[in-house]
Amino acid sequence: MDSNVFTFLVGGKAGEGVKKAGSVAAHIFSSLGRHIFQMDDYMSLIRGGHNFSVVSTSPRWISSHYMKANLVVNFDKRSCETHMNNIAEKGIMVYNSDEQELEIGVGIPLTSEAEKYPMKNLMYGVGAVAILSAMIGFKKDQLNQIIRSEYPRGIEDNIRFANTIYDIVSPDCGAKFPLEKGDKKRSIIPGNVAISLGAIAGGLDVYYGYPMTPASTILHTLAREAENFGLAVVHAESEIAVINMAIGSAFTGAKSMVGTSGGGFALMTEGYSLAGITETPLLVILSQRPGPATGVPTYTEQADLAFALTAGHGDFLRIVASPRTVREAYYLTSEMLDLVWKFQTPGILLTEKHLSESSMTVEIDLEKSKWAEPKMHKDGDYKRYLDIHDGISPMLFPPSNQIIKWNSYEHDEFGITTENAEMISFMHDKRNKKLETLIEYLKGLETVKIIRGENPTNIFTYGSTYMSVLEALRYGRLNPTTIAPIYLSPLPTWELKEFKNQDNVVIEQSSTGQFTKLLEEKAGLKIRNTIKQYDGRPFDPIELSNKIKEVL
Amino acid sequence: MKDLKTYAEITWCPGCGNFGIFTSVRNAIPLLEEKGIKRDNIVITSGIGCHAKIFDYLNLSGFYGLHGRNCSNSEGIKIANPDLKVINFSGDANGLAEGLAHTMFAAKRNQDLTFILHNNSVYALTTGQFSPLAEKGWKGPSTPRGSYEEPFNPISLMIEAGATFVARGFAGDVKHLTDLMVQGVEHEGFAFIEVLQPAVPYHKWEEYREQIEYLEKEPDTYFEAMKAAKEKHKFTIGIFYRTTRPVYHKELYGEYNPIKKRLSKETRIEKIHKILESK
Ligand SMILES: Cc1ncc(C[n+]2csc(CCOP(=O)(O)OP(=O)(O)O)c2C)c(N)n1
Ligand code: SF4
Ligand SMILES: [Mg+2]
């Protein structure tokens, strides 16, 4: 184990502040100047069940949580049973001694102490923070300061409770895990906040959504920030309404975005196709959870790739890109917003629960954000679908003294419905030209991330799985060349040519290997082996590094 | 182009009720201009069906949407730029079958739109199947033994859903219909105008003309309006309900305009910087 990595895992029932305890722990680590990665595992319910939060931290950049934790804090028996195997070598497990007696671990009477306070259920999280603080050698005043800022409801009770727990832990376990300081304090955000802020930076005006995990927190984040940034954020009656409203807004020149998961996007596909023929710039955030159908709402998967690449009936240009990290989610969202406006076509930012809802320390160079700006009509008589060399017709928005007609039927250049044979093929050709234009443009962007290594086998991966792979390689001290396409449609085949006759392995989270098929079919790559995980859980870096070792 | 007509070839059947609606809109626009509503600010949307072809024929800007979904396009237009006056053309299948939820929710939200429902009581473009407004027993290609469903009452349905201007007109009375359209567009809020629109392959004009009656008095209250909507027969035309209620976009952001007042990139970046600092 990398001795600089420290992992804290806290588990209990929904409603006991498990996730909050995880994020307070993350802030404690980042206040030490360390990097963090926080993954929350929760069930689709509001009270009860079993939830846990894992936070891994290191003085260097860290791109995954580890499922072997140095400190495990369990609020209840179920958590203890679940996490028996998640204790790292020389790790400590804390259990609730009011619920059970164990041979190993440190028993703390969490329930009987919490019951002394009116908000007893909310005390468990505070207790976890106190346990962590004692074990990493925080002084009581440091602990109190944290409690004050992070648990403002019932401050005095919280502090008293935290101190009681701290005093129980300290004699035997105080300062067991002293943590080396990192270089500076960084912001901690989850992927969906990065996506929301990236969209705002890119020029977002309106956002429409219908709640669906793991995309809902984009709706929540933007609704919260609507007034601050002058956005219109609307929770509509269905995903069908959502996409059609967004398209209506785009017709007025508003930078529109929608967000959903697989099931919601399935409802949006007719509208997605509408955006194709009307040449509506529209960005869809598609955050995947395991499917098919309702699938597993609060877990992760990468099985909507093939769907995203072909969604919507008919021939039209679809742009699909997938961010690898939380930081990249920020840049890529603004870049995608810019691209859909430049090329007047719909696009998908494809991501997963693992990126949407995991938090990381980030440093973002805000100046690098893109700003969506369409090609505008200058003067003279306006034709919405004017055919010019690059296929991109200049835009104009109402109110205007020109007539601007966007049409869902096949249409002529002015925008009037047509059934004329020549015009039908003419318009297909006009729209198809945009692909060539787009490819030329993408050649100037970073569309594939390649990290050169020494091992003769290459590893292909994409999306948030990239982060798991990097951490696994670092853990296992493995050094293959890693190739992660950011753009998936069009697939940057011009960047992948050199790997054609090499030995390639894919790592992805789809049971049928959708990404593998894409690389084989579109880039003509030979893939020797695919490492897959499709149990809803992200890869654990230690397990993954063993699997990689087997195939290298 | 002259008379608000485009160069598109008109393909409605001769004698189609849609002509009366087409003429009424073209009459209403100059009247609205006289009242200070700029033509440049008027945009139209259509769904799919015979009714929707009006999109191609009217020389006005707009969005020709999907079957059943143009009401959502209209809402998105209004939300993004509230300066625009949206006239939404819908068929009875478009607005009350495929798009029922959107129509109900637009009324519930009191979206500031004018919703014109071309009621020909059939799916005309798809060869005359029964529609949500067809009489029970309508024999169409999908219901050869007659339909089994009672029709909706669109007037009471829309009052109940939250529309703040609800009227019925007749494609055969252009003057009356023009006046309803002018009032509907002027009304701040969701204005629903059902238009009795004979489709010649399926109906006879005489049957409409014989039964048309004018509502003698505009009801004053919600209950009077509901009573009239329920008790008067469905060839009764006039304004059934009119009230005031805050419109959706003003509830959302007050006297704002997301496009015209868009924050600059620099201001956004500054604010994002502050947010990140606090995380
Ligand atoms: C999603 C979808 N389903 C079905 C159709 C086929 N369709 C076209 S028009 C129409 C019905 C039109 O009826 P209505 O809205 O009453 O318009 P009318 O033709 O009577 O004016 C249907 C079902 C379609 N275009 N899209
Ligand atoms: S079928 Fe009916 S609605 Fe369609 S054009 Fe003919 S008359 Fe008009
Ligand atoms: Mg109809």
Side-chain angles (χ1 to χ4, degrees), chain A residues 19 40 42-46 192 210-220 239 259-265 285-291 293-300 304 351-354 356-357:
Chain A
K19 183 175 177 189
D40 295 302
Y42 64 101
M43 298 164 74
S44 187
L45 45 74
I46 303 299
N192 279 351
Y210 186 86
M212 188 167 190
T213 306
S216 302
T217 50
I218 302 172
L219 175 62
H220 305 164
E239 287 85 352
T260 186
S261 192
F265 185 58
I285 310 296
L286 171 51
S287 183
Q288 301 161 92
R289 63 198 219 182
T294 311
V296 197
T298 58
Y299 288 85
T300 201
D304 296 344
T351 184
E352 312 86 9
K353 182 268 177 186
H354 187 50
S356 275
E357 297 195 341

Side-chain angles (χ1 to χ4, degrees), chain A residues 273-292:
Chain A
S273 170
L274 172 66
I277 195 165
T278 53
E279 305 196 43
T280 301
L282 175 72
L283 181 56
V284 178
I285 310 296
L286 171 51
S287 183
Q288 301 161 92
R289 63 198 219 182

Side-chain angles (χ1 to χ4, degrees), chain B residues 51 91-93 118-124 131 197:
Chain B
H51 68 279
D92 47 337
H118 302 224
N119 174 10
N120 53 16
S121 301
V122 284
Y123 287 47
S131 89
Q197 179 245 311

Side-chain angles (χ1 to χ4, degrees), chain B residues 37-57:
Chain B
I37 293 175
K38 290 202 199 82
R39 186 184 295 203
D40 297 355
N41 285 39
I42 296 176
V43 299
I44 58 172
T45 72
S46 272
I48 300 294
C50 285
H51 68 279
K53 295 180 175 185
I54 202 167
F55 180 91
D56 283 334
Y57 308 153

Side-chain angles (χ1 to χ4, degrees), chain A residues 357-390:
Chain A
E357 297 195 341
S358 296
S359 295
M360 287 177 87
T361 28
V362 291
E363 276 174 280
I364 297 175
D365 181 358
L366 298 179
E367 296 306 321
K368 274 174 42 186
S369 329
K370 300 278 172 63
W371 180 254
E373 204 97 64
K375 176 159 88 183
M376 291 300 292
H377 172 71
K378 298 255 162 39
D379 45 30
D381 284 347
Y382 183 67
K383 281 185 177 169
R384 164 66 185 114
Y385 298 112
L386 184 71
D387 178 41
I388 36 183
H389 63 282
D390 58 4

Side-chain angles (χ1 to χ4, degrees), chain A residues 27 185-189 197 199-201 203-206 208 224-225 228-238 240-241 244-245 247-249 251-255 270-271 274 278 280 330 364 366-367 369-371 398-409 412 414-417, chain B residues 1 6-8 39-41 43-44 47-49 54-67 69 72-81 83-84 101-103 105-106 109 111 125 248 252-253 256 258-259 262-265 267-273 275-279:
Chain A
H27 280 96
K185 188 189 167 303
R186 295 172 177 81
S187 311
I188 300 174
I189 53 170
L197 297 178
I200 294 172
L204 184 76
D205 296 310
V206 295
Y208 298 95
R224 200 171 53 236
E225 294 300 336
N228 189 16
F229 288 97
L231 313 174
V233 178
V234 173
H235 165 173
E237 68 271 24
S238 68
I240 299 176
N244 284 286
M245 285 181 177
I247 290 171
S249 294
F251 165 75
T252 72
K255 311 297 177 305
E270 195 195 10
L274 172 66
T278 53
T280 301
Y330 173 92
I364 297 175
L366 298 179
E367 296 306 321
S369 329
K370 300 278 172 63
W371 180 254
S400 163
N401 58 9
Q402 297 283 321
I403 300 300
I404 307 156
K405 281 187 177 287
W406 295 25
N407 194 340
S408 138
Y409 275 112
D412 63 14
F414 186 64
I416 285 188
T417 306
Chain B
M1 265 165 245
T6 64
Y7 55 82
R39 186 184 295 203
D40 297 355
N41 285 39
V43 299
I44 58 172
I48 300 294
I54 202 167
F55 180 91
D56 283 334
Y57 308 153
L58 278 173
N59 198 41
L60 291 169
S61 291
F63 194 94
Y64 204 154
L66 294 168
H67 181 57
R69 312 300 173 195
S72 299
N73 300 141
S74 301
E75 292 185 73
I77 291 170
K78 191 71 193 183
I79 288 167
N81 187 347
D83 290 354
L84 300 173
H102 312 309
T103 309
F105 270 87
R109 297 181 182 114
Q111 289 280 12
L125 188 60
Y248 186 78
L252 191 60
Y253 47 61
Y256 183 73
I259 292 188
R262 175 185 292 144
L263 294 187
S264 68
K265 183 177 180 191
T267 314
R268 288 173 183 230
I269 298 281
E270 249 170 63
K271 284 172 179 272
I272 292 171
H273 182 75
I275 291 174
L276 286 176
E277 291 270 277
S278 73
K279 299 275 179 186

